[in-house]
Structures are given as C-alpha cells and as structure tokens.
Amino acid sequence: MALITKKLRGTEDVLPAESYRWQFLEEIMREQARVYGFAEIRTPVFENTQLFQRGVGETTDVVQKEMYTFDTKGGESVTLRPEGTAGAARALLEHGVYNDGLPVKASYFVSCYRYEKPQAGRLREFHQFGLEVYGTSKPVADAELICAAASIFDRLGIDDLSLEINSIGCPECRAKYHAALKEYFAEHSNELCDTCKGRLERNPMRILDCKSKICSGIAKDAPVILDYLCDECEEHFKGVKACLDSAGMKYTVNPRIVRGLDYYTKTVFEFVSGSIGSQSTVCGGGRYDGLIEELGGQPLPSLGFALGMERLLLLLDSKGIEIPKPETCALYVAALGENAEAKAFSLVKDLRDASLHAQYDIVGRGLKAQMKYANKIGAQYSLVIGDNEIEENKANLKNMTTGEQVEISLGENFVSQFTAIYLDNKTSSPIF
Ligand code: ATP
Ligand code: MG
C-alpha cells in the first residue's frame, strides 16, 4: 500500500525512540533558565503578519523571502512565527507585564517556520530555545545572558564552541556607518546579487550578512562598525567585555557579525562551531533596545538569544557526545493463562501507581514471545505468573542482567518488596 503523503520538505519527525534526546536537552535548558531566574512564556504559533514585519524588520531575509504568510477565511493576514522574540515581546506588552517590575526575564521553546532551502542544519520547521531580558541597559546584563547560554553548552560537555561578539551600535552611530558602507558597496554595485542591490539603498548592513560567495567576498574589505561607534556604544561594549573577562569567559571580537534581524542594537553575539559544516551558528543573540518601542510600547532596553535545537543535536552527534538514555522498564510481568493475565494487569497497575515503569502483554503473545519482548525492551526484572503462582500467591523475580532469582510474594506487600530490591540494585541515576 502506498502512503498517501509524506512529510514536507524541510520538516522532520521526532520518533518515540529519539525523543529522549530532545527531552534531555530541554531539561538542561529548563534547569539553566531556572537558576538564571527566567520563567517560561508560551505564545501562539501564528500572529498578525504585521508583528513580524515590524518586529523582525522589513529589510531582513526572513521578512522578504522566508515567511509562511497566508490570509485566513476572515481575511486577516497571518504568519507562522519565524522566531520567538516578537511574539514574546508582544505578549508581555499586551499583558502589561513590563509594568509589574523590571527586569522581566522570560524563556521559551518554540517551533519556527522559514521558507528556506533545506539542507543539513537548515530546515523549514525548526526549533529554538531562547532567553529574553527586558528593562536593563547595563552591560552586565549582556554578559549574564551570554553566560547563561554558555552554561548550557558547558553542562552538555561541549568545549569547541567559540563565542564571537561585536557591537553594531545604536541608530546614531549606525547612520554614519551606513553612509560609509553605501559608499564602499556603491563601487561594487554591479557585482552584488540582486537582493543586495536592493539592500544597498535601504539597509547596506544586511549585505554583510549575505550568504552569496561574491557578496561576502566583497564584504570582506568593507568598513567595520567598531570604527564608527559613538561614545556611549563604545563604553557599553567595553563594559560587556570587562564583565565577560571577569567571569573568565573566552571570546573573540568579530566585527563582521551583524545578525539576521533588523532590531539589534549594540551587543551581538554568536556561538559558532567548527564541527557541523556551513550552518555553523548554534546560538545567536544580542541587544535590541529599539524593539519594544517599534511594537508600540514605551522605550525599553532589551536583549536575548535563540539557540537552534536541531543544530545543537547535530553538534552533539558530530562530537560523539552521547545523551543518556531514559531508564528502561523496571519489571515485566509475563502471564500464562486467563487468570494470570488478570493478575499481571493488577500487579502492573499497582507498580505504576507507585511510579514504577512496569509492563505486561497487551497484544496476546505466548509466554516465550513475552519473554523475548521483555528482553527487547530491556526490562530489568521479570516475573512469570501462571495458575501455580496465583495459587501459592508468590513467584520468582528474575534479575534479567544476572539471571539471579528470588521469591517474591504476590500479596499486599508486593510493591514494597519489589521497590526495595529494585532500588537496592539500581546503579544509574541519570537526569530522567
Ligand atoms: P543563519 O544565518 O544560519 O540563517 P539566522 O541568523 O537566520 O541564522 P537566527 O534568526 O538568529 O538565525 O536564529 C537563531 C538560531 O536558530 C540560529 O543560530 C540557528 O541555530 C537556528 N536557526 C535559524 N534558522 C534555522 C533553520 N532554517 N533551520 C534550523 N535552525 C535554524
Ligand atoms: Mg537565516
């Protein structure tokens, strides 16, 4: 039989046997978000298109080429979120959270949608974890945010990510920089790709972020923003570097980083890997002091980062870093005969009520096949129940690793007996 359809290009399924990998990463991210003082925000997967046009920026690749935008039956233009910040900022503004005391620190897990050319590390549906801080312009907040991202990589044992930082200034210094860039790129305007030709007038800084080889070749010798920073932005950048230094964070200043979204100001940063090919930025972020005003709120200095979950998984694979597997079934209760089936069902329910992972046969296998299945799922202990066992109200509990057997009562204290034996021999205690 042929499947009527398959998954769309640029989308991925996470199957039951792999989902523990995601859960493990999410657990570590949740924990680091908690210790750094962030609480999770959840927002809708689609928003009014205007939110992203304004919040991400009209001159970005995301808005110009990549958004999934459609008209609803009611005639509204709606867009699947291409990133997590605009929705979070919209929700916090809409609910007046910024009036309840600053800073506001929010974390999120989101699925994002961008119509891109699918390749390794570049999907049309992908997932991000992010942190957002609103209501502080202090350089220490930038450093704290960077440390929070780094703490996740540290906990995962990733040591080859390099932290690259830059400052892209404020609208004031950027005006002078834009003029210098325009002058530089105007000399090469014939060679630029069509998109960049358009950017030349509207936002020449975007050319620095172009993925085309020719444009990035030309951009190599372009003026750098750091030479155009105003005093305030220069001071701020110094402050961020001093905080990172005092925290012992290693970084390099890369004046070429501009980031893909329009709303960034001052600090920008990326965690870049040498191990996962050309989609090498695992995490990117920075400051966006103009965003909240852009969305209709009072000016509010803000910053954040987004970390690409799929790229992080690729990186872990490429480094051979293994994610601990969840614990397997503690006890498999095999049954022979109808009475035994009913008994297995009730024993397993009692174990589960005590938060133990227990299983039994629900598809009608014979005894031999049941034991084979117990092995396949990695059951740590097994028990076979037949009419004899029910009559005597006891059975042999088998340790599936050592083959050792002990008698266990099937009466009232069955669960406590089993728990004692199980915990006594339990060796691993991973995060699950
Ligand atoms: P790139 O330059 O690779 O296109 P970007 O600047 O568009 O990245 P951001 O919008 O800053 O990326 O998103 C933050 C992170 O989300 C990226 O560093 C990356 O890890 C991840 N990411 C972005 N786009 C994709 C995608 N299409 N598929 C998978 N992950 C992505
Ligand atoms: Mg992109």
Side-chain angles (χ1 to χ4, degrees), residues 147-164:
C147 289
S151 75
I152 292 167
F153 302 127
D154 284 348
R155 282 205 51 186
L156 292 169
I158 300 169
D159 52 13
D160 79 330
L161 274 176
S162 58
L163 166 61
E164 303 190 353

Side-chain angles (χ1 to χ4, degrees), residues 173-286:
C173 24
R174 218 169 306 155
K176 288 182 214 144
Y177 181 54
H178 276 183
L181 276 183
K182 266 187 201 164
E183 197 177 314
Y184 173 82
F185 284 119
E187 285 172 27
H188 303 272
S189 62
N190 291 338
E191 304 154 64
L192 294 174
C193 75
D194 286 345
T195 320
C196 283
K197 278 190 185 119
R199 288 166 168 159
L200 190 53
E201 271 315 304
R202 296 201 295 165
N203 190 350
M205 232 164 86
R206 286 270 76 80
I207 303 176
L208 302 176
D209 208 29
C210 183
K211 303 266 180 322
S212 123
K213 281 222 166 65
I214 298 175
C215 297
S216 51
I218 298 170
K220 266 205 187 85
D221 298 318
V224 296
I225 178 81
L226 291 176
D227 295 333
Y228 293 82
L229 292 186
C230 66
D231 290 348
E232 191 203 317
C233 289
E234 175 106 40
E235 266 314 292
H236 191 273
F237 194 42
K238 261 193 206 151
V240 175
K241 288 186 286 186
C243 291
L244 290 174
D245 289 337
S246 76
M249 284 287 301
K250 295 222 161 34
Y251 59 87
T252 49
V253 173
N254 177 354
R256 304 276 154 210
I257 301 181
V258 292
R259 309 286 313 124
L261 314 183
D262 268 357
Y263 52 56
Y264 283 97
T265 51
K266 295 195 171 109
T267 316
V268 288
F269 63 88
E270 292 186 348
F271 284 87
V272 185
S273 161
S275 325
I276 50 170
S278 51
Q279 317 319 319
S280 56
T281 305
V282 176
C283 171

Side-chain angles (χ1 to χ4, degrees), residues 66-109:
E66 298 170 358
M67 292 209 301
Y68 279 86
T69 297
F70 56 96
D71 287 335
T72 65
K73 286 181 183 162
E76 289 167 298
S77 177
V78 154
T79 295
L80 301 185
R81 69 178 161 224
E83 51 89 65
T85 294
R90 194 264 316 136
L92 294 168
L93 257 179
E94 187 168 334
H95 296 279
V97 180
Y98 300 132
N99 306 325
D100 293 344
L102 298 172
V104 172
K105 294 167 94 174
S107 62
Y108 61 77
F109 288 96

Side-chain angles (χ1 to χ4, degrees), residues 349-362:
K349 182 169 184 307
D350 290 345
L351 290 164
R352 290 172 174 171
D353 287 346
S355 296
L356 285 158
H357 175 181
Q359 296 206 54
Y360 62 106
D361 178 56
I362 57 167

